[in-house]
Structures are given as structure tokens and as C-alpha cells.
Amino acid sequence: MTTELTMAKALNLALRTAMEADNKVILFGEDIGKLGGVFRVTDGLHKDFGEHRVIDSPLAESGIVGTAIGLAMRGYRPVLEIQFDGFVFPGFDQIISQLAKVHRRTHGSVKLPITIRIPYGGGIGAVEHHSESPEAFFAHIPGLRVLTPSDPQSAYSCLLSAIRSDDPVIFFEPKRRYWDKGVVDQTQAIAAPWQARILRAGSDVSVVAYGPMVKTALQAADASEYSLEIIDLQSLSPIDDKSIAESVARTGRLVIVHEAPGTLGLGAEIAARIGKSCFYNLVAPIERVTGYDIPYPPSKLEEYYLPDHDRILFAVDSVMEA
Amino acid sequence: MTTELTMAKALNLALRTAMEADNKVILFGEDIGKLGGVFRVTDGLHKDFGEHRVIDSPLAESGIVGTAIGLAMRGYRPVLEIQFDGFVFPGFDQIISQLAKVHRRTHGSVKLPITIRIPYGGGIGAVEHHSESPEAFFAHIPGLRVLTPSDPQSAYSCLLSAIRSDDPVIFFEPKRRYWDKGVVDQTQAIAAPWQARILRAGSDVSVVAYGPMVKTALQAADASEYSLEIIDLQSLSPIDDKSIAESVARTGRLVIVHEAPGTLGLGAEIAARIGKSCFYNLVAPIERVTGYDIPYPPSKLEEYYLPDHDRILFAVDSVMEA
Amino acid sequence: MQLLTPEGELASHETYSLTLTDAEYKLLYREMVFVRRLDQEATALQRQGQLGLWASSLGQEAAQVGSAFALEKNDFAFPTYRDHGVAWMRGVDPMKIMQVYRGVSNGGWDPFEHRCNTYTIVIGNQVLNGVGYAMGLTLDQSEDAVITYFGDGATAQGDVHEGFVFASTFDAPVVFFCQNNQWAISQPSEKFVKSPIYKRADGFGFPGVLVDGNDILAVIAVTRAALERARSGAGPTLIEAFTYRMAAHTTSDDPTRYRHENDLQNWKLKDPIERLKVMLARNGIADRSFFDAVGAEADTWGETLRASVRSMPEPPPESIFDHVYTEKHAVLDGQRAAFIDYHEGFADSGVH
Amino acid sequence: MQLLTPEGELASHETYSLTLTDAEYKLLYREMVFVRRLDQEATALQRQGQLGLWASSLGQEAAQVGSAFALEKNDFAFPTYRDHGVAWMRGVDPMKIMQVYRGVSNGGWDPFEHRCNTYTIVIGNQVLNGVGYAMGLTLDQSEDAVITYFGDGATAQGDVHEGFVFASTFDAPVVFFCQNNQWAISQPSEKFVKSPIYKRADGFGFPGVLVDGNDILAVIAVTRAALERARSGAGPTLIEAFTYRMAAHTTSDDPTRYRHENDLQNWKLKDPIERLKVMLARNGIADRSFFDAVGAEADTWGETLRASVRSMPEPPPESIFDHVYTEKHAVLDGQRAAFIDYHEGFADSGVH
Ligand SMILES: Cc1ncc(C[n+]2csc(CCOP(=O)(O)OP(=O)(O)O)c2C)c(N)n1
Ligand SMILES: Cc1ncc(C[n+]2csc(CCOP(=O)(O)OP(=O)(O)O)c2C)c(N)n1
Ligand SMILES: [Mg+2]
Ligand SMILES: [Mg+2]
């Protein structure tokens, strides 16, 4: 059955579905109870599932992640909410030294099916630390999986898959797309999310984007004089470079788009892999359209930092003219 | 004047030199006083400069970095020691949210000339968390600089440059090379360290390595039937891709070597940049010889994780045969 | 600890006392009125879309103005995003505070100019930064001191406790000033604070004091004492100023989802400004004409503030590359150049 | 708190008491002897190059064996790298501990099999993990409890305090067991601990207890009481077991650089095993023949341990890819395949 929902509501529905299906699924984070989270993604769940399943945490991210690990060892499937991208770092140590390593350390006897939801990215006119894109840090950590949806449907499907995975999953939610509406087919829930999706077929240039930039890439495709193939990465770890390579084998050109600073952003890894696997297909250098290597600027200037469809078109032109 | 020193002693000499030149330079970290640090890099400095210049810290990395920021605001130039690579993460939040951003946030009025020394990498048969290579996390953070020496001379020169820089510098010390000896020319102290060094000229393949892998790359060059140009990156942020591009323009082939996991490691960024800037020079796909995307293995198996000269030669052969 | 009751009566206390000149009493009243006005103007400006966000200091004027009033010129303050009364007392131009919430700057002012750090948003970070500055004062054998601010919610963060450890280890001249406004966004402090906050200090080897945070006289007295202790080399003090967040957490918050109106009503009766006003009147220190004059002054001041915010200039686009590094940076300098070319390209082609 | 003096005399205490059967007293003696022997063998094996490193538990046997003895079968322990006496009491095969320090495994055992987590090396991390497990017990309305271990140096880490906050917030059934062995590598605890560690609990809203960590009877008594309190739903307790690290920090440490021999001598007089031995003899619970028998048993056991460590099989190279993920992982599975091809290539070509 399908419904029209905002991404925030689609995420809310996924949480509700997961909690109904498995009473070991619990939500844990700052202000997620009565308030429903600062973005209301957990709205109503505290009321319906009670304070033992939707738990307001103290204001400490290392504490949230560190105790979630213990809860998972006890058999729970904690779904954590980090209030904003810039506030995940106090929990970074528990994530990299415990969350990502415990399964390996214990030779598989301990599983940590923990999902960490993180609203990320800019474009909402927020103050410092509220618009960052830290996904590359997590995609560089063996033992973690990283997902990011781009629309209500993938938000719903990917979040359910993240919660059902026995691996720890860092789940990045493109906060500026929370209010975008789209059709959600709840039967698509079980779709394997570790693959990229081709959202639009094209013959001239393959454009890889993820999270908030997918919509921007689609806008660029509408505006471009060339035929762009738009690929929604969805999974940032593992990266589905196979799907990208197949596309580039056809187009011979690749543009990668993300908000995070370019240096050592996801675009670097994709360019390195495709530059190798498609060495003999590429007819132009791979272009990256990314944030600059600077701290996220004050919101009045964020439009100059964020890749927009003009910058994508500029890159498309350069690979076409190469 | 030149002397033969181990890398550990060269670093010790650089610290001593910096402390003699500027009494605002203070050392701060766990067990760096009487003990001289677990690797003895600060050996003798507590005795000679006193407990107000060589300060044993409580066992808390966020505390070390967070208070160092305040000390720097007060006019000091703290040189911090993190005991092992795997223990920098409790301090990650202060590093990314404050250390890297304060100068920008205050429009340049606050400078944070802090150096964070981190022994890193494997090959010493250590227990978990003592053999990691987390440099990519820091090279992805705008506002930081990242340096890593490969021999006693670069250890001496780069550490002095790091301490003299008004920017925060993460200084990675290849722990398994601490005991390697080399000639140190103290007059080379002021050499600008933000550039790569060509350690050996070659015509067939450019091989980029840094830190502990430079020696391994040189061994490969000795053993190879081909002529390898060995480039010691030294600066991981900024990356001196100009020097690499010049080399690749000559050789047409590139192999990048590091211990850190391959995905989103430094090799990814270098491959992405050179794949673009040398698109028309490259005659073979760029090869990366790196650690695998796994948590660092138990020491009995580390030899299978660490790139060795055989793996480098294997990659060299594949780019030559491409 | 209380020196001024909610009814505006002066009270005495065995350890703490405070006598100020009439001019000082009146000054304190005036400062609190202006800080509240600043808050009201900013809240209104945010509603009109002139600011991106605002974190209100409503109800916390006594805690902020009083503690900052106790500081010497060379002391250093490390405030949070809500401590407008502290920035005000340190002489920070309110327009610079507005810059931060308008999204024009992430810092706004030079911390050294006012010996007041820029606002810290990551909960707890500034506590360690302040302790470090205080450690530097000790190394310099300076007589200055540091005050670092944080909230009740922050008492869950590791950084705050590491700050306690480092400060006690090095006898750092720092005052930990916790404004317990009883809420961390939607979370009431009693939920996570199972023992009064001020009591936490004892376990770290330094004294903790509880003070009525809406009693500006008591706040000044305890803060002065703590600062003196710090200067004397005796080390840190933790002050818990018990107060109430009378507004929403920020302008994007909706408190009706988690707290009751009547709490608010009770605390209105404890209003820090009213309290001092009654005292001033009762003791003939100030009269109607003074209060009216201050009010009128605040009105005109508010108008100019509104006007200047509306006409606040925007920084040039390429300034996003400024001050990331102090020295040349090959990669970033290249990005800046490309950025300028790119936008000039549009300018020429008339696109955009 | 003490029930057994350094001279081996039984002492009484107003709140705590403990009576065990003779068999239990003898068992405790035996366990401590074996734990010490384990430590001695491992230290020797490390010197012979059979282990990469060893962190000695010498002198801390009473704190570790006693606290773990107080646990029920279903309770869960979260030890550090030094808590061999805890792992031993939880029934962990010592060979699995050896695996960790030989560099054959990073964990060694299945935490669920013995309800004992693998050793945590990152200081403080396990405290939060243990608190989380205890929160799960509360959600399950279980009667079980958790004990989480850490050292005096760890009391500077944020994680430990966040553990205190989360535990008190949720009344988690957890016992915080701090072995104050007075040293964090080269740092004496008095340098960073300005108020006794056990006093820190009060500021977080739960009780703290100081116990003679070399008095196994006292350790058992306080730990049992704390566990009972936890089971009853009353929440956490902090226990500070005052003891002494009689060996180097690890086999790669050189204590002569930072501490004096005579400290060590004083603490030899407080040896936890000697103390119990004297008590057993004085009260006629055990005699020479028993002590000799235990010693002989430990000798033969030690021999077999040495032999099995020397002949410990090494894991296959490709196992480095095992258990990184629970499910298929396109990228890593590809790396494993390439790894196997590469090494088979060498095998064929005879290289390597
Ligand atoms: C590390 C971190 N986590 C989460 C947040 C989001 N956040 C901003 S303010 C706040 C509540 C702070 O409460 P309190 O410390 O009592 O200060 P108050 O807002 O009441 O002044 C939270 C959770 C943050 N800024 N930093
Ligand atoms: C986060 C972190 N920082 C540093 C270290 C290095 N280190 C290992 S043990 C140790 C001292 C620990 O002292 P204490 O907590 O008293 O435990 P003990 O070794 O005395 O049992 C240090 C600094 C670490 N393991 N983890
Ligand atoms: Mg508050
Ligand atoms: Mg210790």
C-alpha cells in the first residue's frame, strides 16, 4: 500500500513499523520522547510505545553510543538519534573503538544491531555545527555500514533495512529534505539497500550523488542540454562502485556530487575506484562537485558553499568539452 | 651541524630545540614527564625544563586537547602527546569542533599553534588500538594541517616546522621507525615541510608513500626490475599533488602506498587528483597498495595486513604490464 | 544562598554579604533591563525573519549579569550560546551577537578584546577550554581568573567532568558557573540530576555552592568569593545558580509539548528584575522617575538595534575562505581562486 | 572498610560482615594462588618472547577474585586488560587470555559464555558498555546485575562520569568497581585524585564505599551488598578498592623511572594472599599440607600452561577478514578473494 508522505513522516513510519515488528527495537536519544525530536521524526512514538521503548537520554553522545552497545549485548536493537551532525563527535570514540570492532573482536559471538540516525547537511539556515556532512569519517571505518536516503521512499526502505541489519549502521538523514513529499510503497521495505539506484537513465554523463544532493542532481539533469544518468548512491559503505562502473562504461564520463568537503570526501574514493575500473572507458577526467575544504560557513553564505545545479552543469560541460 | 640519530632521538632533539628557542613551547600529555613517554621521545626534557614546561596530564584525551586550546589562547604553544594512535578518538570532538574551527570562527583573532604528536601505524607486535593509522580522519578536517615524517631528518625538520606553525598540526610519528638511525642536519630545520620529497628519481613508475611505508617503498625500489621514483609525501594536509603530478607526467604510472584501510585513505584523494590532473599522461590505472578495510588484526597476523615490498612490486608489475 | 528575597527584601547570610553603592545597585538594574530588552528585540527580529535563530536569556538576567559583574577587567569568560548577559557585561557590541544568530558570522567578536570567548555551541567544550586558559594563568603566576559557563544539561557531558579533574589537578583559577535553568530543551533537570549539581564538586576536591540564580546580589557575592579563592591559588569552585528558562529553548522550540504553563507563572513571581526593582524602591535608592528613564532609554536603544540589524551588511562570498589557516595553503588557495573565477564567469555571462 | 587485617586477624565492622564455609575460605585461597601463578607464568612467557605483552595483576588478586566471587552466575562483568582474576573467576580458559597477549586474538572468548566481556583497552569505554547492559536488565525486569571495572587513572575520563550519570538516571543495576592500585602507568593517583575516589559517587546521587582492596573478605562483603542493592532496584554503587600495583604497568614498562622500591616493600607486607593464608592457619581452617598441595597443584598446572602457550596454533591468514560484518559485504568480500589469490600466487611461484 502506498501513501504520500514527507521524508520525516516516512522515517517516522519506518520506525513505527520496525517497533511493531520487533519489541526489541528501542529508540534512544536526546529529546526524542514527548518532544518527538527536534525534527519530530519520532513524533507520537513515545505516546504509543511508552517510555521504555522511546527513551530520552541524558545530554551525552558518548554515553548514548556507549550504553547502546551494552543494550545491544543484552539483546536490544537500539535506534539512536544524534540531534545534529556536528554533535556526533563526542560519541566518535565509542563508535570507532567499540561499536565498529566488537563483532570482530569477539569472533562473531557479539552482534551489535545498532542504527545511529544523524540529520546531516546544510541548506536550512542553521547556526554552526548544525549543517555538517561528516559521512566520510564513518565510511572510512571498517565494521560500520553507512546509508543515506534521498527521498521518502528510500528513507522508509533504507531505515527499515538499517534497523534489520545485524551490523551497526550509521544512517544519515538529509535534513533539508525532511519536508519534501513523495510516494512511499511500504512493500518496498525489504529491498536490499546496499546498492546504488539509477534514478534517471542518460547517455552522455554519469552523475553520482547521494542524500540531499540527489534532488539537486535531478534538477541539473532537467536543465542540462546533455543526457545525464543520475545515480543515487544510497549506500556510502559499502560503496556500490559496480553499478557506477556499469554506467560509466556506457557514458564514458563521470561527475560526483556531495556537500562534504572535497578532500577525502566520498567523491575521492569513487573517483579512485572508477578511475581504475573504467580506465579504458573514460573519455574525460572525473569531475567532483563538492563543498570546499573549509569549515561550514555562516548560513548567510552557505549558498556559496553548497553545490547547486549551476555548479553541476558547469562540471558536466567541462567533461563534455574535455 | 649533523649527527647520527634514531628517529626518536631526532624528535627529542627537535622538541629540545623548540623549547630552547621559545619558552612558550610546553609539552603536555600522559606519562611524558619522568617516564619520558612510553616511547621515550620526551626523555630528559622534564628534568631539563622542569614540570612547568613538561606537564604530565590526567588520563583524558578530550581534556588534553580541550585545555591545550585554552593554553594556546593564553599564548602558549602546546605540543601534545597522544600515547597511541587508537587513543586520540576521545579527543576527536575537541579537535574537530574547536581546534580546527576557532581561528576561522574568530575571524583570525585567535590562533591555536598546537601540535598533536601521535605515534601511529603497526609492525611492532602490539595489542589492539596500538597499531592504527587514523591520518585520513584528520586530513579530511579543514583547519588542520597533517604531517608525517619518514626518517630522522624529516622527523627533526617537520616537527620543528609543526611547532613553529601558527596553525594546529596533527603530527603522525611512524612508531615502528622510531629506532631507525639516520643523519640529521640541524640546519635543515626551517625547510618548508608542506611539500613532498622525491627520495629517489626513477623513470618507469611514480611510487607515493609516507611515514612508515617510505622505507618499504625504497626497499621495493631496490628489488624492482623497473626504475621507481619514490615520493615521500610528508604533508598529508595539504597534499602536495603538484609534485606528484610532475612525477607522473614523466613516468605515466602511479602506485600509492599506505597502511591505513584503502577506502577513503589518503590514496583515494591522491588517485582522484592525479587521475584528473594527469588524465592524458597516465598510461596505466593508478594502483593503491594499502591496508584492507578491516579493523587492525591481532599482531600475529599483522604481516598479512601491512603492505610489504612484495605487494608494492606486485602493483608495480601490474601498472607496467597494463 | 539568598541575599534578596523574591519579595525584594534584603536578607542576611552567615558567610556571604554584599554592599554596593546606590549607583552600582542602579547600574545592575539598568543592565538587566537592557539585557532583557536585547532578548526581546532579538526574539521579535527572529520572528520577522531578521535572525535565523535566537536562544533566549529571559529569566536568567541576574545569574548572567551578576556573575559577570563580579569579574575584573582582565578575567576571562567562556560563555555558551545563551549567555547574552555575560557578553553584554563584557562589553561585547550586541550587534556582534546578532551577527551570530543572523548567520553572518560564527563568532562575531574578538575574544581578546573583551576577554570574553565567542559563544560555544557544542555542549561542554568551553569548560575544558576555560580550564586550559586558567592553567595558563597559573603558569604565568597571574592574578587573573576564569569563569566558564554551562547549563544543567551539560552536567551529563564528559568534557565538564574532565574540566573538573584538570582544574583540581592543577589548582586552576577557574569558576565553574552552572546556570541550572531546570531544562535542557525538553528535559527537566531533575530527570538526570539525582543529586544537586553543586554537590558534584566535593567529589573532585573543590567546593560547590548553591545560589538563588534570580537573586543578583547573592550571585555577585558567591561569584566574587569564588573568584577571590581562585586568585589566591586555592583552585576552582563550582557555583550552581538555580534559575528558570522562562522562554522556549530557542525560537525553533515548542515548549507546550513538554512543560506546563503554571511552572512559568510561579517563576514569574521570582523575576530577577522585579525583585531588584522592589528593593531599590523600598529602600529609596531609586524611584519611579529612574525606572521610567531606564525604560525610555531602552526603548530608543531597541529601535536603533532593530534598524541596524535590518541594515546589517553581508560579508563577501569569497570570505568563506578567510582565516581557515594562518599561513598559505596550496590546496585551499587554489580553491579560492577557482571560486572567484567561477563566480566572475557568471557575472560576465550574466547568468545567476 | 576491613574484615581481615594485614596481620591476618579477623576484624568486625558495624555495617558489613561475612561468614563463609571453610571450603569457601580455602577455595578463595586456592583461586588467588592460581591467579598469581597465571600472572607469573605469563610474565615469564612474555620475557621468553612467547607473549607480545603482559599486564600484571600482581597484588590485586583479592580485589579481583573477591569482587568476582560475589557475582551470581548470571551477573555480567566488564573487565579491563588487567583483570585476570575476574576472567579466571568467570571461568574463562586462561589460554584464551594468553591468546590476547600473544597477539592471536583481540578478544579471545565469547562474552556470553562466561557472562564476562572481553578485555577493554580504551580507558573508560567498558564503563558505559556495562551501564548499558544494566539498563537492559532493568528494561527486562531481570534480577541480574552488572559489575564494571576500571582503574584510578580512568577516573579522569569522561566516559566514566557519563557512566555515573546514565546509571543514576536509569537506576541501572550496576556496581562500579574501581581498583585504585595507586598508579596509572607512571602517574601516582594522588596527583589527579584530589578527593577520595569513592566520594565521587555522592555527587551523582548514589553511594560510594572505600574498601581495603587487599582484604578479600571485605571486598566480597561490600561487593555483595552493592550487588544486592542493584538487584533491589535501588541503583548503582561505586566501590573503591584500595590496593597497589606491585609489578610494572606492563612488561614494556620500567617503573624504576618513576617510583621507589620501598613503596613496594611496604605493600608486600599487605599481600592479599599471605593475609588470607595466615588467617586460615591461625583459625585452623587449613594447614601446611593444604598450602603445599595447592602450591604443587599450581606447579603442574603452570607447566601445562607454558607448554600449551608454546604450542598455540596460529590462525589462518585469511581469518583477518572474518567477522568484520555479519552479512555479505561486496567490497570486503572482494578484498578477501583478492587476498587469497595473491597469496596462492606466491605459494605457486614458490616466492615468500
Ligand atoms: C554535544 C552537543 N549535543 C547536543 C547539542 C544540542 N543542544 C543544544 S542546547 C541543548 C540543551 C542544553 O541544555 P543546558 O545544558 O541545560 O543549557 P541551556 O540550553 O538550558 O542553557 C542541546 C541538547 C549540542 N549543542 N551539543
Ligand atoms: C583512552 C586511553 N588513553 C590512553 C591509554 C593508554 N593507557 C593504557 S593503561 C593506562 C593507565 C591506566 O591506569 P589505571 O586506569 O589506573 O588502570 P591500571 O593500568 O592501573 O590498572 C594508559 C594511560 C588507553 N589505554 N586508553
Ligand atoms: Mg538548562
Ligand atoms: Mg591504576
Side-chain angles (χ1 to χ4, degrees), chain C residues 17-56:
Chain C
S17 69
L18 180 79
T19 36
L20 300 173
T21 67
D22 289 1
E24 288 173 317
Y25 283 124
K26 287 158 85 174
L27 174 84
L28 291 172
Y29 174 81
R30 183 183 176 285
E31 302 290 30
M32 286 200 288
V33 168
F34 270 76
V35 169
R36 179 164 294 185
R37 175 60 61 110
L38 168 65
D39 186 71
Q40 286 161 340
E41 296 294 349
T43 306
L45 284 163
Q46 196 281 336
R47 292 220 180 77
Q48 299 152 19
Q50 291 297 320
L51 299 181
L53 182 82
W54 183 250
S56 174

Side-chain angles (χ1 to χ4, degrees), chain B residues 58 60 62-63 66-67 70-71 73-74 76 93-94 98 103-105 107 109 143-145 165-167 238 273, chain C residues 105-107 110 112 117 125 128-129 132-133 136-137 139-140 159 162 166 319 322-323 325-329 331:
Chain B
S62 190
T67 55
L71 283 159
M73 288 180 70
R74 181 63 195 175
Y76 286 89
D93 176 50
Q94 284 280 352
Q98 302 306 328
H103 184 64
R104 159 93 186 123
R105 183 183 301 141
H107 300 264
S109 44
L144 300 179
R145 291 175 185 265
S165 171
D166 279 341
D167 292 321
R273 290 193 197 173
Chain C
S105 165
N106 286 335
D110 173 354
F112 298 122
N117 196 32
N125 281 181
L128 279 167
N129 306 152
Y133 191 94
L137 291 173
L139 290 176
D140 296 343
D159 274 13
E162 294 187 11
F166 280 62
S319 69
D322 294 346
H323 307 302
Y325 296 95
T326 66
E327 299 155 11
K328 278 185 80 306
H329 187 287
V331 173

